Amino acid sequence: MKIFDAHLHIIDFDFPIQENQGYIPPSFLVEDYRHATKEFEIIGGAIVSGSFQGYDQGYLINALKELGPSFYGVTQLPFNTTDQNILQLNDHGVRALRFNIKRGGSEDLSQLDYFARRVYDLVGWHSEIYIDAKDLIEIKEVIRKLPAISIDHLGLSEEGLPILLDLVESGVHVKATGFGRVELDVVKAMKAIHEVNHDALMFGTDLPSTRAKRPFDIKDIHVILEKFETKNANRILYENAVKWYSCKKV
């Protein structure tokens, strides 16, 4: 089964790492990622900047060079970063802007409308939000009007699922990731999201599963293969994410 890993982290202490909420992550290099996924047919993926990496771009550029052109970057940037910097990052394979509301280390939601539109208009990037979906209620209408948005980790909570489904109906994508960190029925949530929009779900390993109650397990892939028809499992495991990340405006 082909897999586009839509959510993974590379943690390289040769580059700046900052403590976040009393937490410092373990090292997880490209070679560690390759070893952890050697049994899978990984056709590409998205390296996601974590709260503990702040605005550092060095590790991301380095990891993208090592993993090759089928991997893309999801970065955190201050809202006043220059167009030139964004264009340079785009040339290195970065394709998305991250707002980490759950853990911090990124711009806050007050900049979402402006910054998400800016990077989309300039380079075609989508924006990714790590947030409990129940907390989206106050900005739901803002998100609904933005050109390209995804939500991490199935929106995290059962309470937030109705809000998430409402946004999926408007075209928002959802990462089917972090099954060991969510507070909901994973299969029920995926089925509901898929029913609303077959193009919305994008699987990711979430390796190395920092701060998750349970780390990624191969069973997380098996549950998709078992609970969805083959054509729909293909959509979730690679097709949807390949389309989402390979879009390039410039």
Side-chain angles (χ1 to χ4, degrees):
M1 175 62 65
K2 295 179 182 177
I3 294 172
F4 183 97
D5 188 350
H7 198 102
L8 66 108
H9 301 282
I10 298 299
I11 304 165
D12 186 345
F13 279 82
D14 284 343
F15 299 89
I17 297 290
Q18 60 192 38
E19 181 179 305
N20 176 265
Q21 300 175 354
Y23 177 80
I24 297 177
S27 174
F28 191 74
L29 304 175
V30 167
E31 62 193 69
D32 298 316
Y33 175 73
R34 285 175 170 152
H35 178 75
T37 59
K38 63 183 179 181
E39 303 300 325
F40 311 144
E41 188 180 354
I42 303 290
I43 63 169
I47 307 168
V48 179
S49 291
S51 58
F52 40 78
Q53 287 157 324
Y55 296 140
D56 174 60
Q57 308 301 322
Y59 97 91
L60 184 56
I61 292 170
N62 186 69
L64 288 169
K65 286 179 180 177
E66 285 194 61
L67 283 167
S70 63
F71 283 78
Y72 304 98
V74 180
T75 196
Q76 297 164 161
L77 291 170
F79 79 96
N80 59 354
T81 193
T82 65
D83 285 359
Q84 181 181 9
N85 189 33
I86 295 170
L87 289 165
Q88 288 173 343
L89 290 170
N90 190 73
D91 289 341
H92 284 293
V94 176
R95 291 295 179 270
L97 177 67
R98 194 183 199 207
F99 291 83
N100 190 333
I101 308 309
K102 177 73 172 177
R103 301 292 185 188
S106 70
E107 276 294 355
D108 60 44
L109 287 178
S110 67
Q111 299 296 336
L112 174 63
D113 187 58
Y114 160 75
F115 208 5
R117 292 181 187 278
R118 182 181 165 207
V119 297
Y120 182 81
D121 290 343
L122 182 63
V123 283
W125 292 1
H126 66 272
S127 292
E128 305 190 358
I129 309 175
Y130 181 21
I131 191 172
D132 191 317
K134 71 177 186 294
D135 296 326
L136 289 170
I137 187 67
E138 294 184 2
I139 59 166
K140 185 172 68 171
E141 295 310 312
V142 171
I143 292 175
R144 195 192 304 277
K145 295 174 184 177
L146 289 174
I149 296 290
S150 70
I151 306 295
D152 288 347
H153 307 318
L154 296 171
L156 292 175
S157 73
E158 191 77 34
E159 184 180 351
L161 187 57
I163 301 168
L164 185 66
L165 292 174
D166 189 29
L167 289 170
V168 169
E169 192 169 8
S170 301
V172 168
H173 282 50
V174 180
K175 298 279 193 78
T177 57
F179 295 174
R181 67 172 74 247
V182 301
E183 300 291 341
L184 48 71
D185 183 319
V186 168
V187 173
K188 176 184 173 184
M190 288 195 297
K191 288 282 190 179
I193 293 165
H194 183 75
E195 184 175 344
V196 173
N197 183 354
H198 287 359
D199 296 327
L201 281 172
M202 304 179 294
F203 172 78
T205 62
D206 191 33
L207 284 166
S209 306
T210 56
R211 288 190 271 205
K213 291 177 291 185
R214 174 184 67 77
F216 165 74
D217 190 281
I218 192 172
K219 293 177 182 177
D220 297 339
I221 296 173
H222 289 167
V223 74
I224 294 172
L225 295 173
E226 293 167 2
K227 299 299 181 179
F228 290 89
E229 295 180 3
T230 299
K231 65 178 181 179
N232 292 327
N234 287 342
R235 286 189 175 112
I236 297 167
L237 289 171
Y238 74 95
E239 288 178 6
N240 291 344
V242 167
K243 293 176 185 176
W244 189 241
Y245 280 97
S246 61
C247 176
K248 186 176 181 180
K249 186 173 181 177
V250 296

